């Protein structure tokens, strides 16, 4: 039976691809001849939507796709004043469609607005070429990829987000049709195991559609990783017809040498274009590598790159008359010296055409092996020496003058480790794109209680990520290794339980546990033997074993799953789960061994492991290892992590976050067992959970700053990629150019923060300096009154109550506070200077701040240590702990205090009645901080009611009023140290007086 409504709506919405229009009028025209009796009333539309919302349906899917596309559109001409992914944008869409209020409510319920962040772009000014019209006109491979993602069950909002983010990358590349030769280099920053491959697959799709005809993907340092990337591209983008190249599936002889057919059970799920793309007025993609074969030689490829199919031989390849009829060439190569050397050697034999060839190099995990880490002090005079992979990438770019370079990484600080002054290196000189956290991703915010306003004593598995997912290991708990292994068996049984009750079992195909204690291979063997012994002695079929699992279920998983996965099947008791434990044990112990050591660095080693998650039906194993488990190697189905390895480097710790990723159907089951007092030196320990949180907080803050500074001012960027390194130095003060006689040309001179917290974290460690700083605060400290008032954090969500706290407050003139701040000493010279430059101008030059409300919070009676500081009234001393090996504290202000301050600022800006803060008043949170591990350290800083000023860190958080900005709304300002060469990222120290 013909679905008239669906056909009419499809025709109308297809015609509205450029913009939403009067829907009723368009529907009447569409129905006039073929469906004159169709009910086109809004009431019938609402009823149909309500019916399909319960069971799913084609009409809901259609409107979801179209509405989401309009929601995400960037500066559409039909509503340029509304921001994407906002209620205002959706309202503008409805206005143009002329929908009434009732229909709007139904559509909002069926297709909610995705209030998600977009990609952050830090880039030089560029000439727009990748317009919406041009992208739509040539979109064969993007549409195929988009269709494949829908088949995989991606939500429309996720597809639209990927569309936007990949377009943000492609539009910063050079127009492949332009005659002028130019290279663009960029960096794309995602999250650990967050789907960066999906983004660069989208970039490849859009790039080849636009005209790029050679794609080189540097896909890992192992064949296994390279083959995974190759297979992903082949399956989701390149497609069956391009793989078969005309071979007949029914003729076995013609299939010789073709991968996937007959040995990959997922072959039917590979993209199908219907016919060869070249037969559909598109173009074919020729693979120069396959799943099983890395780049070996161009033999056939050399002839392939001659592009003999040029339709107009007298015109260059990049001319549109030739470009869009030529096949694209794609290769996925291992980041290996011998492989890349062969590729460079062969490309040197290709004459003429390389200068006309629009090419794109995508470097996955670009901060691994690609960065030039050679010591500049050992370079010969006037020459740059490169590490092997870095040098070969530079040669590729020289051979491909129209080649563009995009690095992908999960480390937002990665680009500072590349020399921006080296024109042949991979510094992202044109753009840096920070990808948004994808929907469904389980990341740092799912393991840490960042900015939680819930008191520690009131945190439960319902309102605390740490309570739900993190299990600390310390002297009091023992090593908890048996418990972690029991959790692994129990969660495997829970997955089987859910699959048996209709939960899609695709995400349960693999089930893994990661054990990471050391980088030493001999330690891995000992640990693996220990776990093997524990496995065989665990008694998972015995009464004792079931009693242990039942106790773990009752004490841990029952409560967490009830609170966080109420919509999924959960057993009412362990007895209901028990039948699935045996099957879980069998799957884990299949092959005679439950434990696999992963610590080799050769392809042969990984081939022996049989850990190909793509081609192995079920990997249910406990993986023990070191570096190979932390860099590049994606552990599928990871549910339980046991982590006790100490690491100091920020990028190393972040890459250890293998427990991040997508966990559909089992988020509530994920557990992280992590060391809370691991031995760091003979006399010190480290809390790995806190260390990881500090690094994550730094990275999150940096991402937030990039998002703020990405806003254009007068149509020009506030920050360019060359200015990012000195911005990073605010977080990593030790970052400097690699050569000692060089310096960053861009100097960060001002950071403006209207309505935003200014919270320096790197305070001095020297006792004498601390004493001098405390003395500089003495006049203000002595003016703090004895009486206190109650302040309220009115933003506490989820429990329906406000959170009040006591504080001593006073009002201070702007000049008086500025005088104190100007005299302070810091651990790193200049770390506070950009903020101070901004604050100094709030005397009327930039904006006017009349005074500040100083708030000295009082802690609760339970943990309060009070003392006089520089002859002040008794103040609450606050314990904070510096990050391991750094002078920085993870945070200064308490969440409830900062939220109360922000509420005061917000209320003043909205002109609400407020007796404490006016529109020209800022808020200053003041904390006498003691650096310590426990309350005993705080008490040790007090003698006879007075705090030792050499042990007190006078820390603060400032929140200027929202009016503290000029009309330009510029938030950050740089100046060039060598103004005559302002575009140079790196300059010689001798060029600066």
């Amino acid at each position: 039976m013909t679905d008239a409504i669906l056909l009419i709506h499809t025709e109308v919405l297809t015609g509205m691809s450029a913009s939403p229009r009067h829907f009723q009028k368009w529907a009447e025209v569409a129905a006039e001849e073929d469906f004159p009796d169709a009910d086109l009333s809004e009431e019938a539309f609402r009823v149909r939507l309500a019916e399909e919302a319960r069971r799913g349906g084609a009409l809901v899917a259609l409107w979801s796709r179209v509405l989401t596309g309009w929601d995400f559109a960037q500066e559409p001409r039909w509503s340029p004043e509304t921001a994407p992914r906002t209620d205002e944008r959706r309202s503008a869409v409805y206005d143009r469609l002329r929908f009434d209020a009732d229909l709007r409510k139904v559509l909002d319920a069926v297709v909610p607005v995705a209030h998600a962040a977009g990609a952050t772009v830090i880039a030089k000014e560029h000439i727009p070429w990748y317009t919406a019209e041009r992208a739509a006109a040539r979109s064969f491979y993007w549409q195929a990829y988009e269709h494949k993602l829908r088949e995989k069950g991606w939500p429309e909002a996720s597809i639209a987000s990927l569309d936007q983010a990949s377009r943000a990358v492609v539009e910063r590349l050079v127009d492949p049709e332009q005659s002028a030769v130019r290279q663009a280099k960029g960096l794309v920053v995602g999250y650990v195991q967050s789907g960066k491959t999906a983004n660069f697959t989208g970039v490849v799709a859009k790039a080849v559609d636009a005209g790029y005809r050679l794609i080189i993907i540097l896909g890992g340092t192992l064949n296994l990783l390279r083959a995974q990337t190759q297979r992903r591209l082949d399956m989701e983008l390149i497609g069956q017809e391009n793989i078969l190249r005309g071979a007949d599936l029914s003729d076995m002889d013609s299939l010789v040498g073709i991968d996937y057919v007959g040995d990959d059970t997922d072959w039917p799920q590979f993209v199908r274009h219907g016919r060869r793309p070249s037969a559909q007025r598109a173009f074919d993609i020729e693979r120069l590598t396959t799943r099983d074969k890395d780049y070996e030689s161009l033999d056939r490829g050399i002839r392939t790159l001659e592009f003999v199919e040029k339709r107009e031989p007298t015109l260059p390849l990049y001319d549109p008359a030739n470009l869009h009829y030529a096949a694209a060439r794609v290769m996925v190569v291992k980041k290996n010296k011998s492989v890349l050397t062969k590729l460079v050697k062969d490309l040197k034999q290709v004459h003429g055409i390389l200068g006309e060839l629009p090419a794109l190099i995508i470097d996955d995990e670009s901060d691994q092996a690609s960065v030039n880490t050679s010591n500049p002090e050992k370079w010969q005079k006037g020459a740059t020496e490169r590490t092997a992979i870095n040098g070969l990438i530079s040669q590729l770019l020289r051979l491909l003058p129209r080649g563009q370079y995009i690095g992908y990484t999960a480390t937002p600080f990665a680009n500072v480790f590349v020399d921006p002054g080296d024109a042949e290196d991979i510094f992202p000189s044109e753009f840096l794109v920070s990808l948004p956290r994808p929907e469904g991703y389980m990341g740092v915010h799912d393991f840490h209680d960042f900015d939680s306003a819930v008191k520690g004593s009131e945190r439960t598995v319902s309102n605390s990520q740490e309570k739900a997912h993190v299990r600390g290991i310390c002297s009091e708990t023992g090593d908890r290794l048996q418990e972690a292994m029991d959790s692994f068996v129990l969660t495997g049984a829970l997955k089987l339980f859910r699959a048996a009750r209709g939960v899609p079992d695709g995400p349960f195909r693999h089930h893994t546990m990661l054990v990471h204690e050391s980088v030493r291979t001999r330690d891995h063997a000992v640990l693996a033997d220990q776990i093997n012994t524990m496995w065989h002695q665990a008694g998972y079929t015995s009464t004792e074993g079931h009693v242990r699992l039942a106790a773990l279920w009752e004490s841990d998983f029952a409560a967490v799953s009830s609170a966080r996965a109420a919509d999924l099947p959960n057993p009412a008791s362990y007895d209901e789960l028990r039948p699935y434990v045996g099957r879980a044990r069998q799957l884990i112990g299949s092959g005679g061994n439950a434990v696999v050591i992963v610590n080799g660095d050769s392809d042969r080693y990984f081939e022996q492991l049989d850990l190909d998650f793509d081609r192995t039906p079920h990997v249910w194993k406990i993986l023990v290892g070191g570096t190979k488990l932390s860099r590049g190697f994606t552990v599928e189905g990871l549910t339980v992590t046991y982590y006790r390895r100490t690491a100091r480097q920020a990028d190393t710790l972040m890459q250890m976050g293998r427990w991040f990723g997508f966990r559909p159907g089992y988020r509530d089951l994920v557990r992280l067992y992590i060391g809370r007092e691991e031995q760091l030196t003979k006399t010190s320990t480290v809390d790995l959970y806190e260390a990881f949180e500090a690094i994550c907080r730094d990275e999150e803050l940096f991402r937030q700053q990039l998002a703020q500074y990405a806003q254009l001012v007068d149509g020009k960027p506030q920050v360019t990629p060359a200015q990012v390194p000195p911005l990073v130095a605010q977080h990593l003060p030790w970052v400097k150019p690699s050569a000692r006689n060089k310096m960053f040309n861009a100097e960060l001179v001002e950071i403006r923060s209207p309505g935003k917290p200014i919270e320096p974290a790197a305070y001095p460690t020297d006792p004498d300096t601390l004493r001098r700083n405390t003395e500089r605060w003495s006049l203000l400290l002595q003016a703090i009154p004895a009486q206190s008032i109650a302040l309220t954090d009115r933003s506490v969500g989820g429990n329906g109550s406000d959170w009040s706290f006591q504080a001593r407050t006073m009002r201070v003139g702007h000049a008086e506070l500025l005088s104190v701040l100007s005299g302070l000493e810091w651990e790193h010279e200049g770390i506070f200077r950009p903020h101070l430059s901004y604050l100094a101008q709030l005397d009327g030059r930039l904006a006017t701040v009349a005074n500040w409300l100083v708030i000295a919070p009082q802690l609760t009676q339970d943990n309060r240590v009070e003392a006089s500081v520089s002859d002040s009234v008794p103040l609450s001393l606050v314990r904070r702990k510096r990050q391991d090996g750094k002078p920085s504290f993870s945070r200064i202000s308490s969440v409830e205090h900062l939220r109360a301050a922000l509420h005061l600022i917000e209320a003043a800006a909205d002109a609400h009645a407020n007796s404490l803060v006016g529109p020209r008043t800022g808020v200053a949170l003041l904390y006498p901080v003691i650096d310590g591990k426990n309350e005993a350290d705080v008490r040790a800083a007090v003698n006879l009611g007075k705090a030792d000023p050499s042990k007190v860190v006078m820390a603060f958080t400032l929140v200027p009023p929202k009016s503290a900005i000029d009309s330009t709304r510029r938030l950050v300002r740089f100046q060039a140290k060598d103004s005559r060469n302002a575009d140079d990222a790196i300059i010689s120290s001798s060029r600066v007086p």
Side-chain angles (χ1 to χ4, degrees), residues 585-618:
R585 183 187 63 82
Q586 290 174 356
L587 286 168
I588 295 167
S590 64
N593 200 343
V595 183
V596 177
I597 299 176
V598 186
N599 61 9
D601 57 5
S602 69
D603 290 315
R604 179 176 297 178
Y605 175 86
F606 275 86
E607 288 167 4
Q608 294 171 349
L609 288 185
D610 195 25
L611 271 183
D612 188 335
F613 290 99
D614 288 333
R615 303 171 69 180
T616 306
H618 299 283

Side-chain angles (χ1 to χ4, degrees), residues 45 49 52-53 57-72 86-87 90 94 103-115 155-157:
F45 186 13
L49 288 173
E52 288 198 5
L59 191 64
V60 165
L62 172 67
W63 276 94
S64 178
R65 183 162 62 250
V66 174
L67 280 177
T68 303
W70 286 329
D71 285 346
F72 275 74
T86 60
D87 295 332
R90 179 64 69 85
Y94 290 150
L103 181 53
R104 295 181 188 211
K105 289 180 182 178
V106 174
L107 278 169
D108 281 344
V110 174
V111 188
V113 177
H115 297 103
E156 288 299 331

Side-chain angles (χ1 to χ4, degrees), residues 409-425:
T409 180
T411 307
F413 300 138
N415 70 326
V416 303
F417 300 108
V418 180
D419 184 356
D422 184 350
E424 294 186 354
D425 211 337

Side-chain angles (χ1 to χ4, degrees), residues 763 772-774 776-777 819-826 832 954 956:
Y763 286 87
R772 290 194 296 271
N773 276 351
T774 303
R776 291 181 177 106
W777 282 98
S819 175
V820 174
L821 298 175
S822 300
L824 296 177
E825 298 175 62
W826 297 90
F832 187 61
M954 287 305 303
F956 57 88

Side-chain angles (χ1 to χ4, degrees), residues 697-717:
R697 189 182 293 278
D698 258 358
E699 294 209 352
E700 287 299 299
L701 179 59
F702 183 60
R703 291 176 195 267
Q704 292 170 16
Q705 287 180 326
L706 289 180
Q708 291 179 43
Y709 303 154
Q711 302 298 317
L712 301 181
V713 172
D714 295 330
K716 297 182 181 297

Side-chain angles (χ1 to χ4, degrees), residues 548-857:
R548 197 174 64 248
L549 291 178
L552 183 59
W553 159 254
E554 291 292 340
S555 65
D556 188 333
F557 289 90
V560 176
S561 295
S562 175
R564 293 178 172 260
D567 57 330
L568 292 171
N570 289 307
S573 67
Y574 177 75
D575 288 340
E576 197 175 350
L577 180 63
R578 181 169 176 163
Y580 299 91
V581 170
R583 177 58 179 159
R585 183 187 63 82
Q586 290 174 356
L587 286 168
I588 295 167
S590 64
N593 200 343
V595 183
V596 177
I597 299 176
V598 186
N599 61 9
D601 57 5
S602 69
D603 290 315
R604 179 176 297 178
Y605 175 86
F606 275 86
E607 288 167 4
Q608 294 171 349
L609 288 185
D610 195 25
L611 271 183
D612 188 335
F613 290 99
D614 288 333
R615 303 171 69 180
T616 306
H618 299 283
V619 177
W620 283 48
K621 294 296 174 188
I622 300 170
L623 308 182
V624 176
T627 307
K628 295 306 174 187
L629 280 177
S630 62
R631 284 305 305 248
F633 187 83
T634 300
V635 180
E636 298 289 350
L638 181 59
T639 309
V640 178
T641 300
Y642 187 86
Y643 184 83
R644 301 186 67 179
R645 176 197 167 187
T646 56
R648 289 179 180 267
Q649 291 84 0
D651 63 322
T652 302
L653 262 177
M654 278 304 294
Q655 283 292 347
M656 296 304 168
R658 296 292 101 186
W659 49 89
F660 294 169
F662 297 93
R663 309 286 183 250
Y666 63 101
R667 289 173 67 98
D668 59 307
L669 307 183
V670 173
R671 295 294 183 272
L672 168 62
Y673 288 81
I674 189 166
R676 304 301 301 262
E677 49 181 33
E678 295 300 312
Q679 204 70 38
L680 188 64
T681 66
K682 290 182 179 180
T683 59
S684 65
T685 61
V686 62
D687 184 328
L688 294 175
Y689 181 71
E690 286 189 357
F692 200 85
E693 179 175 301
I695 290 165
C696 291
R697 189 182 293 278
D698 258 358
E699 294 209 352
E700 287 299 299
L701 179 59
F702 183 60
R703 291 176 195 267
Q704 292 170 16
Q705 287 180 326
L706 289 180
Q708 291 179 43
Y709 303 154
Q711 302 298 317
L712 301 181
V713 172
D714 295 330
K716 297 182 181 297
Q718 296 188 65
V719 178
T720 64
Q723 294 166 333
V724 169
L727 195 62
V728 170
Q730 291 283 302
H731 301 267
L732 307 176
W734 47 268
V735 169
K736 294 179 176 64
S738 53
R740 288 187 176 181
N741 63 338
K742 302 288 186 180
M743 63 170 59
F744 295 126
N745 193 15
E747 180 182 12
L748 179 61
V749 295
E750 188 176 345
I751 297 176
R752 301 174 180 176
S753 307
K756 300 290 184 182
I758 301 172
E759 186 172 278
Y763 286 87
T765 56
D766 174 63
D768 290 336
T769 307
L770 292 178
R771 184 191 305 276
R772 290 194 296 271
N773 276 351
T774 303
E775 290 171 353
R776 291 181 177 106
W777 282 98
S778 59
L779 290 178
L780 289 186
L781 290 170
Q782 292 163 18
I784 296 176
Q787 68 272 25
S788 61
I789 65 171
L791 291 174
T792 303
D793 169 15
R794 300 185 182 280
S795 58
V796 178
N799 59 10
S801 64
D802 297 334
W803 187 359
S804 294
F805 62 91
Q806 293 292 313
R808 292 189 167 92
T809 65
M810 67 175 179
R811 201 172 296 274
V812 174
H814 177 68
E816 192 177 356
L817 178 62
L818 187 64
S819 175
V820 174
L821 298 175
S822 300
L824 296 177
E825 298 175 62
W826 297 90
E827 182 69 13
H828 298 287
E829 184 182 357
I831 196 75
F832 187 61
R833 190 181 301 149
H835 300 289
L836 192 61
S837 174
Y838 162 61
L839 294 169
Q841 297 178 74
L842 300 183
D843 59 358
R845 288 175 290 165
L846 179 73
T848 299
V849 173
N851 49 44
W852 294 79
L853 178 68
V854 176
I855 299 175

